[in-house]
Amino acid sequence: MDVDSQAEASVLSFDVGGTQLRGALIDEAGRILEQMSVPTPRSSPEDLAQALTGVGDALVATESGRVSRPRAACVAMAGTVDRASGRVRSWPTTGFTDFDVTSALARRLDLPVSLVNDVNAAALGESEVSQCGELAALFLGTGVGTGFVSGGHLLEGERGMGGEGGHLPFRPGVRCPAGCDGCLEAYLGGDALERRSEAAGGPADVPEILKAWRAGQQPATAIMEEALEALEALVSITVNLLDPQRIVLGGGLGMRCPEMLARARQTVLELPLGNGRRDLPVEAARLGDEAGLIGAGRLARELLGG
Ligand SMILES: [Zn+2]
């Protein structure tokens, strides 16, 4: 890497996942200079804050002489966040509610720290890498996460939890893990596929379900057809509500199942009101695990007015 060209205003970004806490040092152009990860502590919010400061300290130590000290940070976090207060309202991985995750980091490193929902951060990361300011990101993993960027900024709503497309109503009769009756995630999320398949006497893990579906076996065929119908609904809602310039499909299930990408593209072509949008690209996500770090890095830079 050409260190001479590194900009002065580096930032820190963090992505707190269910198993790994990742941190990165990011330059002014949004490039990751260094990154590291540790197991996500699940014992208490205090332990999480301590792990964040530990990773932050370690990343700051790596920058010696290459870039100036980081000037801001942003933490991407699974769960319900309140962007304005920097508090996590609910952390589903652990069940902890209403705690501060940013203050300790801000004190320790003496810099401003913001908080963002992890799926929204990943959507912003995909927007950054594709240089697209009107982007819809649909992440199909264990659940269904969506994030939307318009005018170059995240659509986050009042508290930072806007863009939760996975829990839009689809077809009553099946409950999602969060408890809603018949949302898109209840049909399209990987966990939901596994639960439905096992309950119907089929295989209980996604790769086996996909294999059985491709071999034309039941119950996989019926379950996957409903999943694809849920995906069609999600794509249709996305295009009609947001008129994006680009849709990206990511997540473990989205990347493992090219049929999902094909069906999403077909949906765009067949939309009744989508006549002018037949050229709307639907593409595989580019960043994988780094999307949240890149997106959070962008939000950290925004704290500096950049
Ligand atoms: Zn739901």
Side-chain angles (χ1 to χ4, degrees), residues 255-274:
M255 301 303 278
R256 182 185 285 142
C257 186
E259 294 94 336
M260 295 257 181
L261 193 58
R263 182 68 72 98
R265 286 175 172 155
Q266 191 63 30
T267 302
V268 167
L269 292 177
E270 293 175 355
L271 278 177
L273 296 175

Side-chain angles (χ1 to χ4, degrees), residues 71-130:
R71 291 170 53 197
C74 178
V75 179
M77 180 92 199
T80 309
V81 303
D82 186 333
R83 288 265 280 150
S85 68
R87 294 182 75 82
V88 178
R89 296 303 180 196
S90 135
W91 186 16
T93 306
T94 60
F96 293 117
T97 57
D98 197 26
F99 58 93
D100 184 343
V101 75
T102 55
S103 293
L105 193 62
R107 272 196 309 273
R108 174 67 167 258
L109 298 175
D110 190 26
L111 40 72
V113 183
S114 64
L115 177 67
V116 64
N117 169 262
D118 63 341
V119 176
N120 281 341
L124 191 59
E126 292 291 340
S127 162
E128 286 276 282
V129 75
S130 60

Side-chain angles (χ1 to χ4, degrees), residues 3 12 38 43 52 96 128 137 144 208 212 272 287:
V3 296
L12 291 171
V38 298
S43 37
L52 283 166
F96 293 117
E128 286 276 282
V144 175
E208 290 300 315
L287 285 175

